[in-house]
């Protein structure tokens, strides 16, 4: 078996992994595959390419399993592979732009966010006790001294998005309590609250309560007992709940089928199931059961009588095996959704 040669297909001076790598790529493979990717990339950035034998020994797996890992990352379009007599040449490719916590430029509304000068911010902070209190509370909540850019963003919540000071303070606390201290993430939430016209603590509490109840219920059906939904998960759930107006019962049913059919949580897979139901106008469990029954009926094999060759040939008439139909249905759905 030939060895592997690695190279970077893009410039890089440090090892950074976007949240999409954790939220999307790591959930679709064996646990050792991400470790192989990260370890090899770290070695390569340091100017030293890891060999098959080294990776195999370090993670206590066969060299064949190491190759399977690289083939997986090739399918994920994170590497390209050229095979030859001397082995494999693996080129690390740049990851797609982060979608979980987009840069401010990726959000259309933030393009119009005003920029305040350092002198303006200092003036607002000096002349307004509320603004001074907001910045002081933000520093305590986020656990850091605010930079000029930080103050620009936070002050924009009030001056640009017109959120009341007390609502912004609660927003910061709410995000921090759920382990989100990144102001880019907080700004996404601020935009969402502004879109929903949150103008009081009471409205914010009610909004958060509803948000947590629906989203966390979906997460529990996806096997996530604790924690907080990532922005990517929020995007999916917001589409299902508010754009498609699907009942929670229907969404959780799709989540349960995802776990049953592929034995792991996968929001893309659930989205494909719900997209199919949404196109067909399915919004109740009765409609789902009817669609399932129709599919099983279509999948039934046609039983034809077997001609006897002579009077000594005996056979038992085969009864319908409904377990067999269920397996056919599951295989068909999995093949259909994976092909999309």
């Amino acid at each position: 078996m030939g060895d592997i040669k690695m190279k970077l297909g893009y410039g890089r001076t440090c090892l950074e992994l976007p949240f999409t790598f954790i939220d999307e790529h790591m959930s679709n493979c064996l646990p050792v595959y991400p470790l192989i990717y990260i370890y090899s990339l770290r070695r390569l950035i340091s100017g030293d390419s890891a060999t098959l034998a080294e990776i195999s020994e370090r993670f206590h797996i066969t060299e064949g399993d190491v190759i399977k890992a690289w083939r997986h990352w090739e399918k994920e379009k994170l590497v390209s592979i050229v095979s030859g007599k001397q082995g494999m040449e693996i080129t690390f490719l740049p990851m797609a732009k982060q979608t979980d916590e987009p840069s401010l430029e990726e959000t259309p509304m933030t393009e119009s966010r005003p920029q305040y000068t350092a002198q303006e911010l200092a003036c607002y902070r000096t002349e307004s006790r509320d603004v001074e209190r907001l910045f002081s509370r933000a520093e305590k909540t986020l656990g850091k001294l605010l930079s000029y850019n930080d103050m620009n963003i936070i002050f924009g919540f009030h001056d640009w998005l017109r959120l009341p000071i007390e609502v912004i303070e609660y927003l910061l606390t709410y995000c921090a309590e759920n382990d989100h201290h990144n102001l880019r993430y907080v700004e996404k939430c601020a935009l969402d609250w502004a879109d929903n016209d949150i103008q009081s603590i009471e409205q914010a509490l009610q909004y958060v309560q509803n948000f947590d109840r629906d989203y966390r219920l979906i997460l529990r059906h996806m096997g996530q007992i604790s924690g907080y939904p990532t922005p990517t998960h929020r995007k999916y759930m917001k589409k299902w709940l508010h754009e498609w107006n699907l009942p929670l019962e229907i969404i959780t049913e799709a989540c349960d089928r995802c776990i049953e059919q592929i034995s792991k949580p996968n929001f893309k897979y659930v989205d494909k199931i719900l997209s199919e139901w949404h196109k067909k106008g399915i919004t109740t469990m009765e409609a789902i059961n009817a669609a399932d029954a129709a599919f099983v009926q279509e999948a039934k094999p046609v039983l034809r009588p077997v001609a006897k060759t002579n009077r000594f040939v005996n056979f038992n008439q085969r009864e319908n095996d409904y377990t067999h139909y269920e397996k056919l249905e599951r295989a068909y759905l999995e093949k259909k959704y994976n092909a999309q």
Side-chain angles (χ1 to χ4, degrees):
M1 179 183 296
D3 212 329
I4 56 177
K5 178 182 178 182
M6 301 181 188
K7 65 179 182 178
L8 278 177
Y10 58 103
R12 182 166 241 173
T13 58
C14 62
L15 176 55
E16 295 178 349
L17 291 175
F19 290 131
T20 47
F21 181 79
I22 299 173
D23 296 331
E24 297 181 9
H25 297 294
M26 285 184 64
S27 62
N28 298 327
C29 61
L30 295 176
V32 72
Y33 288 6
L35 298 179
I36 292 174
Y37 179 90
I38 295 171
Y39 171 73
S40 302
L41 182 58
R42 170 68 179 87
R43 287 280 301 271
L44 187 57
I45 291 175
S46 299
D48 182 21
S49 178
T51 65
L52 272 176
E54 289 173 336
I55 298 173
S56 172
E57 181 178 357
R58 185 173 186 86
F59 296 104
H60 308 289
I61 58 177
T62 66
E63 293 186 6
D65 288 332
V66 176
I67 293 177
K68 289 180 182 178
W70 290 122
R71 291 300 182 188
H72 167 78
W73 294 124
E74 182 182 33
K75 290 180 181 178
E76 293 288 306
K77 298 182 179 179
L78 296 186
V79 303
S80 65
I81 298 177
V82 177
S83 300
K85 294 182 179 179
Q86 302 302 318
M88 301 165 57
E89 181 177 272
I90 298 174
T91 301
F92 284 80
L93 303 175
M95 291 189 191
K97 185 173 287 187
Q98 169 65 22
T99 58
D100 283 356
E101 293 194 11
S103 65
L104 299 180
E105 290 75 14
E106 290 180 86
T107 307
M109 286 190 66
T110 60
E111 293 179 356
S112 58
R113 174 166 57 85
Q115 293 293 316
Y116 310 95
T117 67
Q119 291 77 13
E120 287 176 325
L121 291 173
C123 182
Y124 287 126
R125 189 167 191 171
T126 301
E127 296 183 358
S128 172
R129 290 183 179 180
D130 288 339
V131 174
E132 168 60 27
R133 188 187 78 221
L134 174 61
F135 287 155
S136 298
R137 181 69 62 83
E139 289 181 334
K140 292 179 181 178
T141 303
L142 299 176
K144 67 173 185 176
L145 294 175
L146 297 180
S147 66
Y148 159 70
N149 190 56
D150 294 337
M151 289 188 287
N152 218 314
I153 294 174
I154 294 173
F155 184 70
F157 297 166
H158 177 61
D159 181 66
W160 171 50
L161 297 180
R162 300 300 179 184
L163 291 176
I165 295 292
E166 62 270 16
V167 170
I168 300 172
E169 291 174 339
Y170 177 67
L171 170 64
L172 290 165
T173 301
Y174 174 72
C175 289
E177 287 178 347
N178 289 281
D179 296 324
H180 291 288
H181 297 81
N182 189 315
L183 272 176
R184 296 181 183 274
Y185 178 90
V186 178
E187 184 173 39
K188 291 286 290 181
C189 293
L191 287 164
D192 181 53
W193 286 25
D195 286 342
N196 286 277
D197 197 27
I198 306 299
Q199 292 296 311
S200 69
I201 293 294
E202 291 74 20
Q203 288 178 316
L205 289 170
Q206 183 64 44
Y207 184 73
V208 166
Q209 182 180 2
N210 293 337
F211 172 87
D212 284 351
R213 181 192 61 210
D214 296 345
Y215 284 27
R216 291 185 187 276
L217 176 62
I218 295 172
L219 290 177
R220 283 200 296 272
H221 278 264
M222 291 294 279
Q224 185 173 325
I225 305 301
S226 61
Y228 190 75
T230 67
T232 294
H233 296 164
R234 285 182 56 188
K235 182 178 179 181
Y236 277 121
M237 292 187 283
K238 186 175 182 179
K239 177 174 66 173
W240 304 336
L241 288 166
H242 305 301
E243 293 181 22
W244 292 351
N245 294 315
L246 295 173
L248 267 173
E249 181 184 34
I250 301 302
I251 297 173
T252 54
E253 174 67 18
C255 294
D256 293 342
R257 292 192 178 205
C258 169
I259 300 298
E260 179 183 353
Q261 292 168 7
I262 65 175
S263 302
K264 60 183 178 182
N266 188 307
F267 274 77
K268 288 183 178 179
Y269 193 91
V270 174
D271 189 61
K272 290 176 181 177
I273 296 176
L274 291 175
S275 176
E276 195 70 21
W277 289 348
H278 178 61
K279 291 177 183 177
K280 295 179 179 179
I282 294 177
T283 58
T284 65
M285 286 302 302
E286 290 76 11
I288 291 176
N289 293 333
D292 290 345
F295 174 82
V296 170
Q297 187 66 33
E298 293 176 1
K300 284 183 180 180
V302 178
L303 301 179
R304 303 182 184 280
V306 179
K308 295 182 179 181
T309 56
N310 57 59
R311 64 188 181 89
F312 298 105
V313 176
N314 295 316
F315 67 94
N316 294 324
Q317 184 176 3
R318 182 186 178 201
E319 296 181 356
N320 290 341
D321 185 352
Y322 290 99
T323 301
H324 174 68
Y325 300 147
E326 292 176 359
K327 291 180 179 179
L328 284 176
E329 176 189 7
R330 183 177 303 175
Y332 171 80
L333 289 173
E334 185 168 355
K335 180 178 180 182
K336 180 176 181 179
Y337 294 135
N338 288 335
Q340 292 182 359

